[in-house]
């Protein structure tokens, strides 16, 4: 990730909606692809603060009204998926939302905000990698959408024993990514992380894992089934439901670190791919940030081996920095030859998304 500059000279960050020094409103300009100060424009509109751009901008509905977004649209361009013609249009990230949290529940707006922050970072990297995605209105072959939902809660506010109908599963199905709102709660998420013995459990990690399932469905079946199977195994044997049952009964094999990026990746080839895809997005995001922070390296667009080597080098330093603060390791993975080969498979797939193998 880059940092950005306000017209007053102060540094702006990707999540900012206001400059803390001059107080000007800030937001994402889709024309110059920067976080910029929003200067006064036509009534109800703004002008991009980047002197080389000066695009006429309008805030996303979820920025102006809901305050969970910081993106603008170029005036005159309304994405076709904006649900209600009478409302302000939705930006290039918010237009993928099918279900947003019930805002009559106290605290849900803040939880929704956290989800949008993580989602925008994930989408930023998809755009950097020029990965394809689109909506049903775009006639995209696998329309992408998001459901942000909470488990059903009874009137007395006590979690009850829930049937499948009331329980929200974080996951991906045919382009729809569902995230359980409970994942936005730091206490709940950390409890799950410890229970499941995961190295990390983060909101952005959930988005990166689920979008991995999305790109599997978009880029693998009928295009590179054989090379996928040679690398990750046969997704039909064992079947997913059997693999799931076995994993939660027996756990991962004892020496899983030789061939898998995480314990969960051992469950089924689809989960192996999604975990590897998420780790690949982690790597390119860290390399991109390092490059734009003058730490050198190949950034997000290098040769695979140079990227992995620099990531491992940075990982040692970053882990030591975290340990000096008593924090968990930033790069906990071990990149054995087999794990690196799976990462390279993802690298080749996303760098030539239409080519297949
Ligand atoms: Zn400023
Ligand atoms: Zn601009
Ligand atoms: Zn938006
Ligand atoms: Zn998964």
């Amino acid at each position: 990730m880059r940092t950005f500059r306000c017209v007053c000279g102060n540094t702006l960050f990707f999540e900012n909606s206001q400059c803390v020094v001059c107080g000007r409103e800030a937001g994402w300009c889709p024309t110059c692809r920067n976080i910029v100060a929003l200067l006064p424009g036509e009534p109800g509109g703004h002008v991009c603060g980047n002197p080389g751009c000066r695009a006429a901008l309008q805030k996303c509905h979820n920025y102006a009204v809901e305050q969970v977004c910081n993106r603008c649209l170029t005036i005159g361009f309304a994405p076709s998926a904006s649900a209600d013609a009478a409302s302000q249009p939705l930006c290039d990230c918010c237009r993928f939302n099918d279900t947003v949290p019930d805002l009559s529940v106290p605290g849900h707006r803040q939880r929704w905000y956290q989800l949008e922050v993580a989602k925008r970072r994930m989408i930023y990297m998809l755009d950097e990698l020029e990965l394809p995605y689109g909506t049903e209105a775009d006639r995209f072959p696998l329309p992408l959408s998001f459901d942000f939902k909470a488990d059903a809660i009874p009137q007395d506010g006590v979690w009850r024993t829930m049937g499948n109908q009331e329980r929200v599963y974080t996951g991906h199905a045919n382009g729809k990514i569902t995230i359980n709102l409970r994942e936005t709660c730091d206490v709940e998420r950390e409890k799950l992380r410890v229970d499941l013995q995961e190295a990390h459990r983060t909101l952005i990690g959930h988005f990166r894992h689920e979008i991995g399932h999305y790109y599997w469905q978009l880029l693998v079946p009928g295009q590179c089934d054989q090379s996928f199977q040679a690398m990750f195994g046969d997704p039909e044997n064992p079947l997913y439901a059997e693999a799931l049952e076995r994993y939660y009964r027996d756990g991962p094999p004892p020496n899983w670190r030789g061939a898998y990026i995480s314990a969960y990746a051992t469950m089924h080839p689809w989960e192996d791919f999604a975990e590897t895809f998420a780790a690949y997005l982690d790597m390119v995001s860290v390399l991109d940030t390092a490059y734009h922070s003058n730490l050198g390296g190949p950034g997000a667009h290098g040769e695979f081996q140079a990227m992995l080597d620099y990531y491992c080098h940075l990982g040692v330093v970053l882990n030591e920095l975290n340990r000096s603060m008593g924090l968990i390791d930033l790069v906990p993975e071990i990149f054995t030859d087999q794990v690196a080969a799976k990462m390279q498979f993802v690298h080749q797939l996303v760098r030539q998304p239409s080519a297949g193998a």
Side-chain angles (χ1 to χ4, degrees):
M1 181 54 68
R2 297 171 283 147
T3 56
F4 308 90
R5 201 153 290 281
C6 181
V7 288
C8 76
N10 184 41
T11 300
L12 294 173
F13 299 99
F14 188 64
E15 285 76 18
N16 282 164
S17 52
Q18 190 170 29
C19 172
V20 292
V21 170
C22 72
R24 285 184 180 88
E25 287 188 305
W28 177 257
C29 170
T31 302
C32 63
R33 295 185 51 76
N34 282 304
I35 297 289
V36 297
L38 302 180
L39 306 179
E42 297 291 312
H46 305 271
V47 170
C48 172
N50 175 358
C53 176
R54 296 290 190 238
L57 301 173
Q58 180 181 15
K59 284 180 182 173
C60 169
H61 173 85
N62 287 345
Y63 183 174
V65 178
E66 306 294 357
Q67 290 161 356
V68 297
C69 178
N70 69 344
R71 292 210 162 205
C72 295
L73 297 92
T74 306
I75 288 180
F77 170 74
S80 45
S82 63
D84 176 7
S87 71
Q88 278 176 283
L90 295 169
C91 74
D92 54 354
C93 286
C94 291
R95 71 195 191 102
F96 292 94
N97 292 349
D98 264 2
T99 310
V100 301
D102 175 1
L103 298 178
S104 68
V105 178
H108 272 196
R109 185 181 302 277
Q110 177 58 25
R111 288 170 171 239
W112 183 21
Y113 171 81
Q114 289 170 258
L115 286 164
E116 292 297 341
V117 165
K119 192 184 88 185
R120 285 198 299 275
R121 276 213 176 230
M122 189 268 292
I123 288 179
Y124 177 86
M125 194 41 71
L126 301 185
D127 290 343
E128 277 293 300
L129 298 173
E130 298 179 15
L131 277 164
Y133 59 91
T135 62
E136 212 166 331
D138 302 332
R139 298 179 186 275
F140 194 77
L142 182 64
L144 176 67
S145 63
F146 296 91
D147 275 1
F148 300 142
K149 290 199 253 189
D151 293 322
I153 309 172
Q155 290 300 320
D156 59 8
V158 179
W159 299 104
R160 62 183 158 166
T161 310
M162 285 175 288
N164 276 342
Q165 314 255 291
E166 295 124 329
R167 197 177 286 153
V168 173
Y169 288 96
T170 294
H172 166 267
N174 292 317
K176 162 74 52 82
I177 290 174
T178 303
I179 309 272
N180 188 321
L181 231 56
R182 210 194 286 201
E183 293 291 340
T184 63
C185 172
D186 292 344
V187 175
E188 296 256 3
R189 202 177 55 248
E190 184 64 6
K191 259 190 211 162
L192 280 169
R193 185 186 76 77
V194 174
D195 280 355
L196 300 171
Q197 298 181 14
E198 295 172 341
H200 284 177
R201 191 177 182 93
T202 60
L203 281 183
I204 196 163
H206 281 304
F207 280 101
R208 288 176 180 158
H209 175 98
E210 301 308 338
I211 205 76
H213 287 304
Y214 175 82
Y215 282 109
W216 182 87
Q217 191 172 339
L218 188 68
L219 303 176
V220 174
Q223 296 162 80
C224 57
D225 298 277
Q226 285 188 344
S227 54
F228 171 78
Q229 201 166 317
M231 187 63 73
F232 293 89
D234 182 358
E236 303 295 330
N237 180 30
L239 290 171
Y240 188 85
E242 293 165 22
L244 183 74
E245 200 186 310
R246 187 180 65 186
Y247 179 75
Y248 284 111
R249 189 187 59 225
D250 303 338
N255 48 1
W256 59 266
R257 278 177 214 276
Y260 297 91
I261 190 85
S262 70
Y264 189 63
T266 66
M267 197 258 268
H268 185 270
W270 290 339
E271 297 305 339
D272 193 7
F273 180 84
E275 286 286 272
T276 307
F277 195 94
Y280 182 79
L281 287 186
D282 286 347
M283 177 178 80
V284 290
S285 301
V286 166
L287 290 175
D288 182 60
T289 303
Y291 180 81
H292 290 293
S293 308
N294 296 319
L295 290 174
H301 302 287
E303 292 299 315
F304 175 75
Q305 197 56 50
M307 290 171 79
L308 186 64
D309 287 348
Y310 196 72
Y311 187 50
C312 290
H313 160 73
L314 266 184
V316 170
V317 177
L318 293 168
N319 289 350
E320 281 302 314
L321 286 173
N322 273 18
R323 288 170 200 171
S324 21
M325 288 296 280
L327 297 171
I328 58 176
D329 285 355
L330 194 104
V331 183
E333 295 91 356
I334 298 165
F335 297 97
T336 63
D337 289 349
Q338 269 176 286
V339 171
K342 289 175 180 176
M343 294 273 283
Q344 187 161 17
F345 180 95
V346 171
H347 177 80
Q348 282 162 352
L349 194 68
V350 305
R351 300 296 159 151
Q352 311 167 306
S354 52

